[in-house]
Each structure stands twice: as structure tokens, then as C-alpha cells.
Amino acid sequence: WINYGSAMSSFNTAYMALTQLMSYDKFFPAQKKMAEFMKGINLDFFFDNDNARIEETIEYSKPIADIVSLINTRKINKNIFNYFPSEKPLGYMTYHINTKEMLKHFPTMMNEIFSTTVLFKEDVSIATDLISTIIDEEATATLFDGDLSLFLYDVKENEVILKTFEYDENYEQIEVEKTVKKSLPVFSMIFTSTHPNFADKLIQLGVRKKVLIQKENYYEIIGTQEYGNVFIFKDKNVVVLGNSIDYLFPKNDSFSKEIKKDLKKNYFSAKANIAKIVTAYNKSGEAKTSEIKTLNRLSEQFSDITISSAKKLMDNKLKVEMKLNSSKPDKNIILQTLDLVQELGK
């Protein structure tokens, strides 16, 4: 358990000499205000037969907890699930917050934290007043509503044309194109934007400026071949950025159903499949021979890593859980970890 108020007090005491020399304390929010903002953080470690997990509990003050609850509680735009993959990817992260509430309460939170700091007090006050004045949270929030999902599907070897510069016999610079094989992550980023025309106008601007080129129902970004030909796809209020259109239209919704179930209670969820990532990395040609044995050992021991955070705060506390799942439930996770450490030490 870390108490923020006493932690900051101890920090100031430990660096008293530095404080006297250069007013170092002015760069940090006063411990009293920090204690009013956040009470502390608690970490619990659990070791079971099939997993090891860390539970982080962040305790806020009542006013801040109320704001965090408003930000974390968002009705997800269901259209985003139409472009989730059919099968489980190598890894994913999906994050859903209420952007409107975040913009609405951001100035208040900043003023609360920095209201007693001598150095930044006036600057922060001006900045937060400016934000409050020029930003219409209702309209601005529609640019990015708060739904964001990232997917890593695969790692593939692609032929990429790279432009380099060399010098001829007269020491004059010449442009040379080289075709090389490069391992590229296949990914997509999906988010929602309910603004009536901003995204469409931005895409049309890209077309006019010859930054985007239309291909069927999506747009390819010029000059991104090195990264696998990055594209932009928009359907109503869903925008997708990725580098392989083949993964965009799922054949079924089995995976999205699983995610929906998880997001009923969590505003944030992430998972990495260790075995699939290790296999993809080994095939990419990037892995060194000395690494392959260790990586294979890791994938044999542990299946995946998951991270999640609940929407609902209990007693003003936000909980974040990270879990390392074992592939061998017949052996205690501590012993498995020690085995792995011993293997790494060879």
C-alpha cells in the first residue's frame, strides 16, 4: 500500500537539499492536494496453479472517483464490433471511455492538482480557462467518441521497395531503389467518430492533395509501402486504419461476442497470445538462434497475458488486473517461474 500524501512528504524531505538549491518542490503538486486527489495505490500478488496475477487498486478521493466513474462508464458504439476479427488475434487492446465527460472535467481535475503549486498555478489556471472557453466538449467529443481498439493479427514477410541514395564515380548523389524482404506486423486500429462530416472531409482533402488514393471502398495512404500499404476505411461512424484489407471483414462474430461479454464489466481489456506471438517471431527471421530456445520455453510454460480494468468503482477504488496464464496447471506457478528463470540463466 502506497499512501500518496506521506509518499510525497517523504520525497520532499529526502530531497530537501536539492529543494533549497533550486526550488525543486515547486515542480511537484503539494502532498496535501495529491492526497485529496488520490488516496493511494494497493498492489496484491496472487499465485495459483494456473495463473499468476497482480491486482492494482487505485483509491481516489470521493469527488475524483465520481468523475472517473463518469469517464469509465460509456455506452459502446456497437458498430465497432462489425470489424473485429473472426478468430483470436496474436494480441489486442480495446479501450472505451466517455470523451465528453473527460473533456468536461479535465480543467477541474488539473486545477485541483496544481492549485497550490507556486510555479505552475497561474499558468495552469490560464491554460484550463482557455481549454474550457474554446473547447465545446459536446462537439469535440464527436471527433473521437472514446471507442478505440488495436489488433495485431500476424507477422508476415513482405517484399518492400526502399529508396536509398548512393554516390557514383563522380561523387554525385543518385537515387537507388532496392527490393528487400522485411517482416511486418499486420495490424488494424479501429475507432468511432460520430461527427457528421469531419472524417469525410478529411479523407476528401487527402484525395485532393494526392495523399490518399481510392481503391474500391477504402483509401490507401501514398508512400506507406514500407509498412505494408496502410489504408483508411470508413463506414458511417467507424474508422479503420490498418495495413491488410483482407482482415477487415470478418466471416463470423464469435470473437466479437467474446469481447462484448468482457466489456460489459470492463472499460479496458487487452490480451497477448504468447505461443502465437513467439511462433510468428520465430518465422519472421528476426529471432536469433540463441533466442529461439528461450522463447519456445516461454511459450510452453505460459499461454497468454491478459489485462483488464473494471468500469465500476467500489468504495472509490479502481481495480486493474494483470494475469499471466499457465499452460501447465498441474504445477504451481511459482515453481514454473523458477524453472523459467533457471532456463534463462543457462
Side-chain angles (χ1 to χ4, degrees):
W1 168 259
I2 302 172
N3 183 297
Y4 256 67
S6 61
M8 290 300 295
S9 178
S10 299
F11 179 86
N12 287 342
T13 302
Y15 288 87
M16 185 59 69
L18 187 59
T19 300
Q20 292 174 349
L21 287 172
M22 53 179 292
S23 299
Y24 199 55
D25 61 319
K26 294 180 182 180
F27 289 91
F28 292 90
Q31 56 264 30
K32 182 180 177 183
K33 276 294 176 182
M34 282 300 293
E36 290 175 3
F37 177 83
M38 186 184 294
K39 299 294 184 182
I41 295 178
N42 189 74
L43 292 174
D44 289 312
F45 296 84
F46 299 90
F47 296 94
D48 299 322
N49 283 334
D50 60 349
N51 71 79
R53 71 183 187 277
I54 299 174
E55 288 186 2
E56 179 185 16
T57 304
I58 305 170
E59 183 177 358
Y60 296 100
S61 62
K62 180 63 168 63
I64 299 300
D66 291 341
I67 294 174
V68 173
S69 294
L70 291 172
I71 294 173
N72 289 356
T73 305
R74 165 177 169 73
K75 187 177 180 181
I76 299 173
N77 188 327
K78 294 181 180 180
N79 292 333
I80 198 171
F81 296 117
N82 294 333
Y83 302 100
F84 278 29
S86 300
E87 299 179 0
K88 293 181 180 179
L90 271 64
Y92 71 86
M93 184 215 78
T94 183
Y95 188 74
H96 306 271
I97 61 170
N98 191 318
T99 308
K100 177 184 172 182
E101 292 293 341
M102 183 180 70
L103 292 171
K104 181 179 178 182
H105 292 98
F106 176 77
T108 302
M109 293 174 72
M110 290 300 99
N111 277 327
E112 281 294 316
I113 296 174
F114 293 102
S115 61
T116 59
T117 54
V118 178
L119 185 64
F120 294 137
K121 183 177 180 180
E122 292 186 6
D123 295 346
V124 170
S125 177
I126 293 171
T128 52
D129 286 345
L130 180 63
I131 291 171
S132 300
T133 302
I134 66 175
I135 290 182
D136 178 354
E137 62 267 12
E138 293 259 0
T140 306
T142 61
L143 298 177
F144 170 65
D145 301 87
D147 298 312
L148 174 65
S149 298
L150 302 172
F151 294 99
L152 173 64
Y153 302 110
D154 202 351
V155 178
K156 290 188 174 182
E157 190 177 73
N158 286 8
E159 286 192 347
V160 177
I161 298 175
L162 298 178
K163 290 183 178 181
T164 60
F165 293 94
E166 296 180 358
Y167 294 90
D168 60 18
E169 56 186 12
N170 296 319
Y171 301 101
E172 293 182 358
Q173 193 179 65
I174 55 174
E175 186 179 283
V176 179
E177 287 189 349
K178 291 183 178 181
T179 302
V180 298
K181 289 185 177 181
K182 188 175 181 181
S183 296
L184 297 173
V186 183
F187 72 93
S188 73
M189 179 178 73
I190 309 172
F191 65 94
T192 55
S193 176
T194 54
H195 193 282
N197 50 35
F198 181 77
D200 291 319
K201 286 185 175 181
L202 199 60
I203 288 173
Q204 292 307 315
L205 177 64
V207 173
R208 291 199 303 272
K209 297 297 181 180
K210 297 183 180 180
V211 176
L212 300 176
I213 181 170
Q214 186 167 2
K215 291 193 172 183
E216 298 179 359
N217 59 344
Y218 65 95
Y219 298 86
E220 192 173 286
I221 302 176
I222 303 299
T224 59
Q225 195 216 11
E226 185 178 350
Y227 308 101
N229 293 324
V230 180
F231 71 86
I232 294 175
F233 171 84
K234 183 179 182 297
D235 180 24
K236 298 177 182 177
N237 45 32
V238 177
V239 180
V240 184
L241 184 72
N243 64 351
S244 181
I245 198 72
D246 297 334
Y247 288 84
L248 188 57
F249 304 101
K251 296 177 181 178
N252 61 65
D253 61 354
S254 57
F255 179 68
S256 62
K257 283 182 178 178
E258 180 183 326
I259 296 295
K260 285 178 185 178
K261 184 178 179 181
D262 187 47
L263 292 176
K264 284 183 179 180
K265 57 181 180 180
N266 298 318
Y267 78 93
F268 172 82
S269 183
K271 187 174 184 177
N273 187 306
I274 296 174
K276 287 185 177 180
I277 290 175
V278 168
T279 300
Y281 182 60
N282 288 344
K283 289 181 178 179
S284 70
E286 299 290 333
K288 299 177 182 178
T289 306
S290 58
E291 294 178 328
I292 293 175
K293 183 180 177 182
T294 302
L295 291 172
N296 289 339
R297 174 75 170 171
L298 176 65
S299 64
E300 290 172 3
Q301 293 281 129
F302 305 105
S303 59
D304 55 65
I305 299 173
T306 61
I307 305 174
S308 62
S309 185
K311 291 180 180 179
K312 191 174 182 181
L313 273 66
M314 301 293 291
D315 299 325
N316 305 325
K317 297 173 183 177
L318 176 70
K319 183 176 287 188
V320 181
E321 180 184 86
M322 183 176 73
K323 185 185 292 185
L324 179 64
N325 294 305
S326 170
S327 300
K328 298 179 179 180
D330 59 330
K331 190 173 184 179
N332 186 277
I333 192 75
I334 299 178
L335 297 178
Q336 292 189 54
T337 304
L338 291 174
D339 287 345
L340 182 62
V341 171
Q342 187 178 26
E343 181 70 29
L344 293 173
K346 290 181 179 179

